């Protein structure tokens, strides 16, 4: 039932489980997690892991009956590979324990489970240097409970197999630290009359982005869930969230309500046959006005909240292949902004946001990717009549999220096999900004099948 394997670098252990049929109201896949505690100790400074021998690295695995991963231990001396002379403690530990999120490492540091040269360090930004001896034990996972909440859902389509929802901006798809209620999952649990579920902090943190590395869904501890027909040894479940949208992104999202639908929709995401069209407002005008961006996207090493698009060969450990097609629908405010349509060939975390940044036109309101209020005003003021300056300043000050909307969604219905297509207009805040920019000036470039009011 459970296989345990270690990766090539001998630092990570993983548990593989199997899926079982559960309640038909909303699909849950189950994974039997017997607790696994991996202990990895390094006793000397080693420059790399690829050629580690048994004399360099000792490893032992201990299985017990606890309900989560915990106790992974690292003892290592910092080598001389620090170029700048400064490296954060949390960054260094994250780089040495493959598969552990930086947030998990930070919680371990704050819990007093990390020592540098024999002294407990609870500051995540502490700078390590060559020769420092680091001892770290990964902390226990914390759980986040998702309870049914009577949250109004804008349901575009529903049958016994799927839900298509128009997600509002500022709604998180699933619970995560800092967002334990008011999420789409909370609303779905109520809508489908399902019980409470629990998410591990780690699993929530690893699934907080807009992506369609998405079809992996979410795991949660089901030990307290009553009324679910699970096998006795099962300890974890996941809702049928097939893909996700960022908290700030509005628009269409599909949810599977049974196992067959989840499997079929997941296959379509993997095969990239799902049809998705997004619209955005950009700070600046893309050049050329239509094109294809094929640039790998990976986590920004300097800011874990941000992805980055860097031209060059794909490094599977640092970036993943990503491709987006775009075209300018309207040139706005004399070219200081644009209404842009995006079609995704892949679905990486923050893909549109990262590719827009790469083109030099970050999305309006996307301060994480460079579209600060000062930057936007510097583009708008020279092209705006002086009589409208105060209105423009007021408009920019009110932008509180990236101006990105999932406009259309099309897929093969998992049970009927028919092609289904859905669309929904951008919300009021998006349209208000668009109309303000049109008042300065607008020039239509390409038409779109769906008019944007």
């Amino acid at each position: 039932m459970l296989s345990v394997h270690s990766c090539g670098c001998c630092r990570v252990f993983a548990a593989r489980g199997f899926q079982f049929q559960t309640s038909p109201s909303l699909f849950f896949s189950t994974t039997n997690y017997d607790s696994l505690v991996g202990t990895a100790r390094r006793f000397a400074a080693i420059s790399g892991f690829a050629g580690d021998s048994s004399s360099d690295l000792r490893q032992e695995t201990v299985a017990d009956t606890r309900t989560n991963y915990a106790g992974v231990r690292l003892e290592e001396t910092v080598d001389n590979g620090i170029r700048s002379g400064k490296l954060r403690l949390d960054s260094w530990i994250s780089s040495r324990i493959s598969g552990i999120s930086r947030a998990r490492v930070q919680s371990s540091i704050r819990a007093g489970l990390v020592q540098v040269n024999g002294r407990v360090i609870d500051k995540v930004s502490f700078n390590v240097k060559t020769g420092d001896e680091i001892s770290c034990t990964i902390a226990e996972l914390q759980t986040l409970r998702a309870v049914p909440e009577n949250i109004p859902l804008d349901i575009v389509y529903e049958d016994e197999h799927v839900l298509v929802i128009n997600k509002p901006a500022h709604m998180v798809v699933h619970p995560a630290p800092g967002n334990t209620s008011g999420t789409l999952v909370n609303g779905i649990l109520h809508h489908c009359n399902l019980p409470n579920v629990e998410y591990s902090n780690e699993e929530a943190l690893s699934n907080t982005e807009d992506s369609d590395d998405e079809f992996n869904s979410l795991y949660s501890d089901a030990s307290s869930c009553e009324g679910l027909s699970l096998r006795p040894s099962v300890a974890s479940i996941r809702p049928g969230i097939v893909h996700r949208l960022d908290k700030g992104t509005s628009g269409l999202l599909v949810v599977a309500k049974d196992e067959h639908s989840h499997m079929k929709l997941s296959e379509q995401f993997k095969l990239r046959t799902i049809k998705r069209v997004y619209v955005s407002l950009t700070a600046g005008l893309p050049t050329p006005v239509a094109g294809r961006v094929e640039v790998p996207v990976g986590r920004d090493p300097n800011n874990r909240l941000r992805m980055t698009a860097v031209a060059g060969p794909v490094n599977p450990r640092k970036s993943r292949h990503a491709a987006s097609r775009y075209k300018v629908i309207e040139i706005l405010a004399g070219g200081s902004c644009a209404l842009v349509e995006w079609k995704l060939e892949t679905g990486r975390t923050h893909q549109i946001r990262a590719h827009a940044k790469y083109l030099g036109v970050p999305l309006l309101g996307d301060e994480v990717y460079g579209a600060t209020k000062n930057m936007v005003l510097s583009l708008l003021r020279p092209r705006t009549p002086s009589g409208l300056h105060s209105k423009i300043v007021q408009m920019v000050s009110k932008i509180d999220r990236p101006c990105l909307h999932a406009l259309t969604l099309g897929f093969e219905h998992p049970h009927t096999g028919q092609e289904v297509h859905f669309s929904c207009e951008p919300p009021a805040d998006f349209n208000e900004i668009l109309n303000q920019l049109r008042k300065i000036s607008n020039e239509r470039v390409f038409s779109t099948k769906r008019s944007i009011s």
Side-chain angles (χ1 to χ4, degrees), residues 240-453:
I241 300 294
V242 184
H243 64 132
R244 298 184 299 281
L245 297 175
D246 274 351
K247 177 181 179 180
T249 304
S250 57
L252 295 171
L253 182 143
V254 61
V255 178
K257 295 174 71 175
D258 58 66
E259 183 176 5
H260 176 81
S261 297
H262 188 278
M263 178 187 67
K264 289 294 186 180
L265 289 171
S266 295
E267 286 178 355
Q268 292 178 59
F269 274 104
K270 290 178 183 178
L271 295 173
R272 312 299 181 196
T273 59
I274 299 284
K275 298 175 178 64
R276 291 175 291 174
V277 177
Y278 293 73
V279 288
S280 71
L281 295 171
T282 60
L285 176 64
T287 303
V289 293
R292 181 175 181 270
V293 185
E294 187 175 8
V295 180
V297 170
R299 185 74 61 182
D300 187 331
N302 299 315
N303 185 341
R304 296 285 294 179
L305 297 177
R306 184 172 61 199
M307 307 300 286
T308 184
V310 181
V314 174
N315 181 340
R317 295 183 64 180
K318 295 183 178 179
S319 62
R320 301 185 70 183
H321 171 257
S324 310
R325 295 184 182 273
Y326 74 91
K327 65 179 180 181
V328 175
I329 305 303
E330 287 184 57
I331 300 173
L332 301 165
S336 58
C337 298
L339 175 64
V340 181
E341 178 185 282
W342 300 84
K343 293 183 179 180
L344 298 181
E345 295 182 19
T346 57
R348 305 305 179 203
T349 300
H350 291 192
Q351 179 173 316
I352 291 174
R353 298 167 67 185
H355 278 173
K357 169 71 171 177
Y358 177 81
L359 292 173
V361 290
L363 307 186
L364 280 183
D366 198 353
E367 300 205 11
V368 171
Y369 285 85
T372 64
K373 290 176 170 54
N374 286 338
M375 179 266 202
V376 174
L377 287 173
S378 71
L379 292 173
L380 284 168
R381 279 196 179 106
R383 298 173 173 86
T384 303
S386 57
L388 294 176
H389 278 188
S390 62
K391 290 186 177 181
I392 289 300
V393 171
Q394 187 178 20
M395 177 197 76
V396 171
S397 68
K398 290 181 178 180
I399 301 176
D400 60 357
R401 57 110 172 180
C403 292
L404 180 63
H405 177 73
L407 183 71
T408 68
L409 177 66
F411 54 88
E412 181 183 290
H413 192 283
H415 280 261
T416 68
Q418 293 181 329
E419 290 289 331
V420 292
H421 297 271
F422 306 96
S423 61
C424 65
E425 293 291 338
D429 67 329
F430 188 105
N431 284 329
E432 182 179 349
I433 297 166
L434 176 58
N435 290 331
Q436 289 275 6
L437 295 171
R438 281 171 171 168
K439 287 178 181 178
I440 301 172
S441 70
N442 74 301
E443 176 188 348
R444 184 165 288 275
V445 180
F446 290 102
S447 62
T448 181
K449 293 181 179 180
R450 182 77 178 180
S451 63
I452 310 297
S453 58

Side-chain angles (χ1 to χ4, degrees), residues 23 39 43 64 96 109 116 137 167 232 248 326 363 368 397 429 436 440:
S23 170
T39 304
F43 296 94
D64 61 21
R96 311 311 286 172
I109 295 171
V116 179
T137 302
K167 185 189 85 68
Y326 74 91
L363 307 186
V368 171
S397 68
D429 67 329
Q436 289 275 6
I440 301 172

